Amino acid sequence: MNDSTRESLSYFGLFWRMLRAKKTIVPECLSFGEDKDQYLLYYEPAGSGGLAEQAQAGSAAQDKTVLWVHGGGWNSGSPRAFDFVGQCIAGAGYPFISLGYQLSPKNKYPTQIEDVCAGYKAALDFLKKKGVASPRIVVTGSSAGAHLSSLLCYSPKVQADYGVDVSDIIGYIGIGGPYCFLEGQGWVLRTLLGQLFEKDYDRAQGEPYALMEKSGIPMLLIQSEHDGLIDYACATRMAEKASSLGNRCELYPVTGKRNTHSWYTAGMFMESRRENETLDKFFSWIEGL
C-alpha cells in the first residue's frame, strides 16, 4: 500500500480520536480582527497560578510559551478544531496560544501571513497584559501552519512588511511543512497551492525556502519519509539551506507505523510521550532550549 493511500485511510481513526479527546482546560478567546477566523485561543496550564507567577518562579517548563499555527491545507482548520493540541501542550505545563487566520480559496495569499503576523503581535500584547514583559516563545505549526510559522520566524522581509519583532522567539518547530514548492510535487499539494495563490502571483514571495535568511532562532524540522502528501525533500532542502546560512537546525525523521502526514502532524498530540516517540522529541527539544 502506498503512502498516499495510507494517509487517506488514516482520517477515520483520527476523527474518531478527535471526538474522544479530553477537554480539561477551557481556553480564553481573543479576537484580533473583524473576520471570524481572526482570533487566538490561550490555554493556561491547570494550577499554574498565572503567567506572572510562573515567570517569577522560573519554572523550567512554564517559563516558555508555545505559540501554534494550525494546519489544514490553508483552506480548512481553526484553533478550535485543533483544541486537542492545546490540551496536550498546556497539559504538559506550557502556556499555549493557538492562532487563527483567514482561509483560502476565498482569501488569497498573503492574507494568511498577514493574519499570522497580526495574531503574533496580539499574542505579545496579551502576554504583557498577563504580566509577562519578556516572554520566551517557542513558535510551532504543522503542515500549512508550519509553512506560515516558518515565514514568521525566518523571513526578514515578512517581518519588515508586517512590523513583527521576533526577539522573544527562542525556538521554532516545523512539523510536516511544505517549505519548498518543488517541481513534480503531488497533485494534492499542487491543488492546495493553486487555491492559495493568485494565478500570476510570484510564489517565491511566499516560499519559506526562498525567503529564509540568517537567524539566531534554532530550528527543529519534524518530517516523515512516508508522509503521503509532502515530499521529504521539503525538509531536507530547508535544513541544508539553514545550515548554509549558519542557522542552527535539526532534522528529525519520523519513525514508527503512524508516519503518514496527518498522524504525525496532528495525531501525535492525542497520544502520550510514552506512546509516541515524535511527541517525546517535540517536548524534549523544547525542554533543552
Side-chain angles (χ1 to χ4, degrees), residues 64-270:
K64 300 161 187 166
T65 297
V66 177
L67 184 141
W68 166 268
V69 182
H70 70 81
W74 302 282
N75 65 6
S76 64
S78 68
R80 291 188 180 91
F82 285 87
D83 174 79
F84 60 90
V85 181
Q87 300 291 338
C88 175
I89 295 177
Y94 295 94
F96 178 84
I97 295 175
S98 183
L99 295 186
Y101 51 89
Q102 296 173 83
L103 303 174
S104 68
K106 178 181 178 181
N107 302 285
K108 299 296 186 180
Y109 189 89
T111 297
Q112 292 73 25
I113 192 60
E114 290 173 356
D115 284 353
V116 167
C117 290
Y120 175 75
K121 291 189 287 186
L124 290 181
D125 290 340
F126 177 84
L127 293 173
K128 289 178 182 177
K129 291 177 182 177
K130 287 280 186 180
V132 182
S134 300
R136 304 179 70 224
I137 298 175
V138 179
V139 172
T140 183
S142 69
S143 195
H147 163 263
L148 295 169
S149 54
S150 63
L151 288 170
L152 168 69
C153 291
Y154 297 105
S155 171
K157 181 181 186 304
V158 165
Q159 295 158 13
D161 286 349
Y162 304 115
V164 174
D165 178 0
V166 297
S167 60
D168 290 314
I169 299 175
I170 63 168
Y172 169 75
I173 303 176
I175 310 170
Y179 313 105
C180 309
F181 303 153
L182 303 172
E183 294 292 333
Q185 59 203 337
W187 72 268
V188 173
L189 184 55
R190 290 200 308 272
T191 299
L192 294 173
L193 289 171
Q195 293 177 351
L196 179 65
F197 294 109
E198 293 285 3
K199 182 177 179 181
D200 297 323
Y201 189 85
D202 179 6
R203 294 186 180 185
Q205 297 306 305
E207 183 186 43
Y209 176 83
L211 296 178
M212 178 171 56
E213 296 188 18
K214 186 172 178 58
S215 170
I217 301 172
M219 172 192 301
L220 170 65
L221 300 179
I222 297 174
Q223 205 91 2
S224 172
E225 294 185 68
H226 298 279
D227 183 291
L229 288 181
I230 306 296
D231 197 311
Y232 191 68
C234 282
T236 57
R237 290 190 65 192
M238 188 73 165
E240 289 166 359
K241 182 170 182 180
S243 297
S244 72
L245 293 170
N247 296 343
R248 176 182 155 195
C249 178
E250 178 181 354
L251 174 57
Y252 177 83
V254 177
T255 58
K257 294 182 179 179
R258 290 175 174 167
N259 55 12
T260 52
H261 186 79
S262 295
W263 266 118
Y264 78 91
T265 62
M268 72 171 180
F269 294 103
M270 291 180 277

Side-chain angles (χ1 to χ4, degrees), residues 53-66 92-95 136 138 170 283-289:
E53 290 81 358
Q54 293 167 26
Q56 292 171 2
S59 165
Q62 295 171 345
D63 69 343
K64 300 161 187 166
T65 297
V66 177
Y94 295 94
R136 304 179 70 224
V138 179
I170 63 168
F283 282 123
S284 296
W285 194 84
I286 294 174
E287 290 162 2
L289 291 173

